[in-house]
Amino acid sequence: MIRADKMIYEMAEKCEKEVKKICDDYEVYISSGKTIELDSKNDELNFAKEEITQGIGIRVLKDNKMGFAFTSDMNKINQTALQALENTKLNNPDENYAFSQKEKVNDIDKLYDKKFENLDLDESIDFLNNIITKANETQCDVTSAGFSASRGESLILNSNGVSIANKSTGFGAGLSVNIEAKENVATAYDSISSRFYDLDGDKLAEDVCKLAMDSVDTKAIETKDYDVVLDYYAATGLLSTFLEAFNGENVQRQRSILHDKMNSEIVSPNLSITNDATLEKGMYSTKCDGEGTVSKKTKLVENGVLKSFMYDIYTANKGNTTSTGNGYRNSYLSTPSVSPSNIILDFDEKIGTDEISEGVLTTSVLGAHTANPISGDFSVEASNAFKIENGEISYPINKAMISGNIFEIMKKCEGVKSEIKQYGPFILPKILVHNLRVVGQH
């Protein structure tokens, strides 16, 4: 049996041979992958999928015009290359289009788990069922649960001599429960992810069920400004809006409030933010981005001061700078666009929750997607929220709204002494925000 990575190289050589016949400036992106995806409704499995994907995306440059075409049919490479060339006629010339240059490529450790090769649907179902069983044992009702495992391989090569292969795995599980107690119903959700099949499903079930149990018998909270501790989910929900302001395309279109703030203090001087695609075992780590630019570390913010935005090749050329290696693509079906890799929030000093005399802890927020991406204004519902009194969790809170401005609260935020975790692209501790308006609801 031919190994998948060998097959990718053979396809790439065949593809490059065809593209060379019609165009001097080209890029070939080939990817293959396998995904196992499971979902349960309540505690019954209602969806199971095992999918294998494979395809080629071709970009060509002719007369400063970019053309793109893709196919999943390996017998249609020639037609796809010709279609990419034909598609250049649909675009206007733009001197900012270019392909990546050849650079030294560094290996990144712990991105691939060989256990995936022996993982089948039955074992995956057993893993998910164990999470559900564990949750049921703690007297929680499972409303939904899911498990996913994936393997991806890609190869990008171009007319500048770039040839970089990537291979990685990813695993994830999520659990949502509710519990009825004291004539109240409380819900809770959490998820875990890793590059390795080392997920602790039992701990996920225990943590989610404990959060649900702790959230019953709620009390109303007085409306006023509080010190608010944003748990991981709550923080990442709001930070997604904040991160949009670092997108080079948004900056150039002046859709970023930070477009004219380079070398200015934009967040707490206690905080540095790094975009790092080279991180060992990072969920968004890769040897290169989706256009072949070698991965690197980019300091976006240093001690509160804005130092860089995120660029792909096109936006970098347009801004007379260099790509930060943030030109990612979802698959062979799409062209690259500016996206983050691992975003590390590093606080010089951290505060303990025992130092908070009166405050609120919110585990997650509902409605973060409604935040204004340009102004940063938000109004969200606090979910699984708790009152903090004299450094201790006092009681769970009725529904409450939290409102503010993400750019303003980042100027006075602090890290909380807590485990550093990765949720989505963000690698962070819990975050403390001062004087945030909390509107209590009875």
Side-chain angles (χ1 to χ4, degrees):
M1 181 178 175
I2 301 175
R3 285 171 51 199
D5 50 2
K6 185 180 177 184
M7 285 176 65
I8 280 182
Y9 275 102
E10 289 176 352
M11 285 191 296
E13 287 173 9
K14 180 181 176 184
C15 190
E16 186 175 30
K17 202 175 289 183
E18 293 296 329
V19 180
K20 269 182 176 177
K21 293 175 186 175
I22 61 165
C23 193
D24 292 333
D25 294 319
Y26 59 84
E27 171 198 88
V28 175
Y29 178 85
I30 300 179
S31 66
S32 72
K34 180 181 177 183
T35 303
I36 296 171
E37 197 174 332
L38 307 173
D39 280 301
S40 78
K41 189 175 181 181
N42 300 325
D43 51 7
E44 294 291 327
L45 184 70
N46 75 325
F47 177 80
K49 180 175 77 171
E50 190 168 9
E51 184 179 36
I52 294 173
T53 58
Q54 182 174 280
I56 297 175
I58 299 171
R59 290 199 297 169
V60 298
L61 256 178
K62 186 174 177 61
D63 301 326
N64 285 332
K65 294 189 283 187
M66 182 75 79
F68 171 69
F70 62 86
T71 184
S72 59
D73 187 342
M74 297 306 121
N75 295 314
K76 292 185 175 178
I77 291 173
N78 178 256
Q79 295 97 310
T80 306
L82 289 169
Q83 186 63 57
L85 185 63
E86 184 68 20
N87 289 344
T88 61
K89 298 173 183 177
L90 304 174
N91 296 319
N92 296 321
D94 191 330
E95 61 184 11
N96 296 309
Y97 287 126
F99 296 128
S100 60
Q101 296 295 324
K102 191 173 182 180
E103 300 175 81
K104 182 176 182 288
V105 183
N106 297 311
D107 284 331
I108 303 169
D109 292 332
K110 299 185 179 178
L111 300 185
Y112 186 83
D113 190 349
K114 289 183 178 178
K115 287 180 186 174
F116 182 92
E117 294 161 16
N118 298 314
L119 182 67
D120 58 21
L121 209 53
D122 288 341
E123 185 181 345
S124 301
I125 291 170
D126 287 342
F127 184 88
L128 182 61
N129 284 336
N130 286 338
I131 293 175
I132 294 169
T133 300
K134 186 71 176 179
N136 288 336
E137 286 173 356
T138 55
Q139 300 178 328
C140 280
D141 295 322
V142 174
T143 53
S144 65
F147 171 79
S148 65
S150 62
R151 182 204 72 231
E153 295 171 75
S154 67
L155 174 65
I156 186 163
L157 53 85
N158 67 28
S159 47
N160 296 329
V162 169
S163 177
I164 306 173
N166 278 291
K167 188 175 182 179
S168 62
T169 51
F171 303 84
L175 176 67
S176 182
V177 304
N178 65 26
I179 186 167
E180 292 186 40
K182 302 178 184 178
E183 299 182 351
N184 289 311
V185 176
T187 64
Y189 171 81
D190 201 357
S191 67
I192 49 177
S193 61
S194 177
R195 285 294 194 181
F196 283 71
Y197 190 36
D198 56 6
L199 304 177
D200 191 338
D202 285 357
K203 188 173 187 305
L204 174 66
E206 288 167 7
D207 289 349
V208 173
C209 289
K210 182 180 185 306
L211 180 59
M213 284 185 239
D214 289 346
S215 299
V216 298
D217 198 19
T218 59
K219 297 179 184 177
I221 190 172
E222 180 187 354
T223 296
K224 64 178 186 177
D225 293 345
Y226 290 91
D227 284 347
V228 176
V229 175
L230 301 172
D231 208 328
Y232 306 99
Y233 256 118
T236 56
L238 295 176
L239 284 168
S240 295
T241 298
F242 177 69
L243 194 59
E244 281 296 304
F246 291 85
N247 182 311
E249 184 177 356
N250 291 338
V251 171
Q252 290 165 357
R253 293 185 176 189
Q254 295 195 9
R255 292 178 57 83
S256 166
I257 202 170
L258 304 179
H259 74 91
D260 59 352
K261 300 291 193 295
M262 188 59 68
N263 295 316
S264 300
E265 188 173 286
I266 62 163
V267 300
S268 165
N270 186 37
L271 172 62
S272 295
I273 303 173
T274 305
N275 180 95
D276 187 1
T278 69
L279 195 67
E280 182 179 286
K281 211 180 178 185
M283 293 303 296
Y284 285 71
S285 294
T286 176
K287 284 194 280 188
C288 69
D289 68 5
E291 45 190 4
T293 303
V294 172
S295 292
K296 50 183 69 75
K297 268 188 197 181
T298 302
K299 190 75 80 171
L300 301 176
V301 175
E302 189 166 16
N303 300 122
V305 177
L306 177 62
K307 290 296 182 184
S308 179
F309 297 115
M310 296 180 291
Y311 297 101
D312 59 7
I313 291 172
Y314 179 81
T315 53
N317 287 344
K318 196 173 178 183
N320 197 27
T321 184
T322 55
S323 171
T324 55
N326 285 98
Y328 293 104
R329 56 177 109 203
N330 294 323
S331 73
Y332 68 91
L333 300 165
S334 61
T335 55
S337 60
V338 180
S339 301
S341 61
N342 305 298
I343 302 293
I344 303 166
L345 278 76
D346 184 24
F347 291 87
D348 288 341
E349 296 176 5
K350 297 188 181 76
I351 189 171
T353 51
D354 56 351
E355 300 175 59
I356 302 171
S357 57
E358 185 181 35
V360 170
L361 163 67
T362 181
T363 305
S364 60
V365 293
L366 303 177
H369 64 284
T370 64
N372 187 312
I374 299 175
S375 71
D377 291 334
F378 66 85
S379 181
V380 296
E381 182 183 323
S383 183
N384 298 109
F386 302 88
K387 181 75 184 295
I388 300 172
E389 293 177 334
N390 300 317
E392 299 286 339
I393 298 294
S394 180
Y395 57 83
I397 296 169
N398 279 351
K399 285 183 179 179
M401 298 299 293
I402 296 177
S403 60
N405 181 283
I406 186 62
F407 299 106
E408 290 303 314
I409 68 175
M410 292 303 288
K411 291 176 181 176
K412 50 192 178 184
C413 67
E414 295 184 73
V416 175
K417 292 176 183 175
S418 55
E419 185 181 350
I420 304 296
K421 293 185 179 181
Q422 179 156 18
Y423 277 81
F426 298 102
I427 298 172
L428 74 174
K430 297 176 184 181
I431 296 175
L432 171 65
V433 177
H434 297 288
N435 302 318
L436 198 55
R437 173 60 52 160
V438 179
V439 180
Q441 298 181 5
H442 292 274

